[in-house]
Amino acid sequence: MIHHVAQAAALIGYFLGVFFAVLNARTPSDKLKQASTTSLLGAWILQTGAVVGHTIARGTVPLDSLEDFLLMLSWVVLGFHLYLWFRRHLLGAVFVLPPIAFVAAVLGIVIPAPHLQLPRSQETGWLYFHLGLTLVGIAALSVAFAMSLIYLVQDRALKAKRPLALLEKLPSLDTCDRVGFHAFLAGFGLLTLGIATGLVLGMVIHHRYWAGNPKEILSYLAWFVFALLFYARLSRGLRGRKSAYLTITGYALAILTIATLVP
C-alpha cells in the first residue's frame, strides 16, 4: 500500500539525517547540517503522508494495534525533534531523538501484532483518547530522556576534562536541564491523564480497575518514579545528574510497558 511505501522511504530519510549529522559533528559544514535537517524533515513529511493515508484508508486514527502505535510514536517523536531544532537549534538532540523514532518505526514494521478488540462504538472514542494521551506523553518523555542523556555525557566529559569533538555540538548543561524538565512536565501530565483514563476504561470495559498484568505494573512503576522526580524537583530543588538518572529510569520503565504488548 502507498502508506507502507511512504513509511519505507521515511526510514531512509531517518538514516540519512543521522548519518549527515554524525559527519557534521566530525567535520563541521553548513552543507552537512542542511542535508541532515532536510533529510529528517523529508522523513517527517513522508510519515505524515503515511499517517494521513492510513487514516483515510481505515476511516479512523491508526492506533488500534502495536504496529500503529509505534509508527505514530515515531512520527510524534521526530516532530518534537524538528520543533527543538527549528525553535531552539538543539543540534545535539539529533543523536538521540531521530534514532529513537527510527527504532520505533522499524519495530512497528517488523513486529506482527493483532489489532485491539475495540469496545462498543460509544467507548471507542475514549479508548483513542486514552491511547493518544499515552502516546504523546511518551513522546514528550522521549525528549526529557534525550536531554538527560545528553546532560550526563556533557557532565562526564567536563568533569573528566577530556574535551570531546562532539562537545561543541551539545547544548549546555543548563539548557539540557531546563528543556528536559519542561518536556518532563508535559510528558508526566499526559501520562498521568493516560493512566487515569485507562483506569476508567478498565472499569467500563472489563468491570475492574486493576488486572495485575505486567503492562499495568510497569506503567504504575514508571508513574511512581516520575512522581518522585516531580516532588524532588519542586520541593527539594533536585537538579543535575540525580534528576537525569531518575528521568532515564522512569523512561526505561515506560518503554518496557510498550514491550509487554509484543505478542
Side-chain angles (χ1 to χ4, degrees):
M1 298 176 68
I2 295 178
H3 68 271
H4 287 151
V5 175
Q7 186 63 47
L11 292 179
I12 298 175
Y14 277 111
F15 176 80
L16 290 176
V18 176
F19 176 72
F20 288 133
V22 171
L23 291 181
N24 183 56
R26 295 174 61 88
T27 308
S29 166
D30 289 338
K31 290 184 178 180
L32 288 174
K33 183 188 299 184
Q34 183 62 39
S36 175
T37 302
T38 302
S39 297
L40 292 173
L41 180 60
W44 187 80
I45 292 173
L46 285 169
Q47 273 199 305
T48 301
V51 169
V52 172
H54 201 28
T55 300
I56 294 174
R58 295 269 300 279
T60 184
V61 179
L63 277 175
D64 61 347
S65 74
L66 180 59
E67 171 193 356
D68 293 337
F69 187 90
L70 288 170
L71 293 178
M72 289 288 288
L73 178 63
S74 168
W75 176 62
V76 177
V77 168
L78 183 59
F80 282 168
H81 166 70
L82 291 172
Y83 170 80
L84 288 175
W85 168 240
F86 287 114
R87 183 67 183 268
R88 296 178 175 270
H89 298 286
L90 295 182
L91 183 61
V94 74
F95 302 107
V96 184
L97 290 176
I100 290 175
F102 177 82
V103 171
V106 170
L107 292 177
I109 293 173
V110 302
I111 294 177
H115 290 281
L116 298 174
Q117 295 297 318
L118 296 179
R120 297 187 301 273
S121 58
Q122 64 266 33
E123 295 158 6
T124 302
W126 283 103
L127 177 61
Y128 283 126
F129 182 62
H130 159 68
L131 292 172
L133 287 172
T134 303
L135 184 144
V136 180
I138 292 177
L141 290 171
S142 296
V143 176
F145 165 78
M147 291 298 102
S148 296
L149 196 61
I150 293 171
Y151 183 99
L152 293 176
V153 170
Q154 180 93 300
D155 182 67
R156 175 166 295 187
L158 291 173
K159 288 184 182 302
K161 298 181 179 180
R162 292 180 301 177
L164 299 174
L166 184 61
L167 209 58
E168 297 179 356
K169 301 294 182 181
L170 299 180
S172 67
L173 294 179
D174 179 68
T175 298
C176 288
D177 186 75
R178 185 176 65 256
V179 173
F181 182 59
H182 289 164
F184 159 74
L185 287 177
F188 178 57
L190 290 168
L191 188 64
T192 300
L193 289 174
I195 290 175
T197 54
L199 286 171
V200 174
L201 279 170
M203 184 61 189
V204 172
I205 298 172
H206 304 294
H207 306 292
R208 60 186 179 188
Y209 288 113
W210 170 260
N213 56 52
K215 180 180 77 68
E216 290 182 341
I217 294 173
L218 287 170
S219 63
Y220 292 140
L221 284 175
W223 185 89
F224 176 79
V225 171
F226 289 134
L228 179 63
L229 174 59
F230 180 76
Y231 169 78
R233 290 279 308 206
L234 296 185
S235 299
R236 303 295 180 181
L238 185 70
R239 296 291 188 275
R241 284 180 294 171
K242 291 182 179 179
S243 176
Y245 282 129
L246 278 176
T247 301
I248 291 172
T249 300
Y251 182 73
L253 290 169
I255 293 301
L256 286 175
T257 300
I258 300 176
T260 62
L261 301 176
V262 178

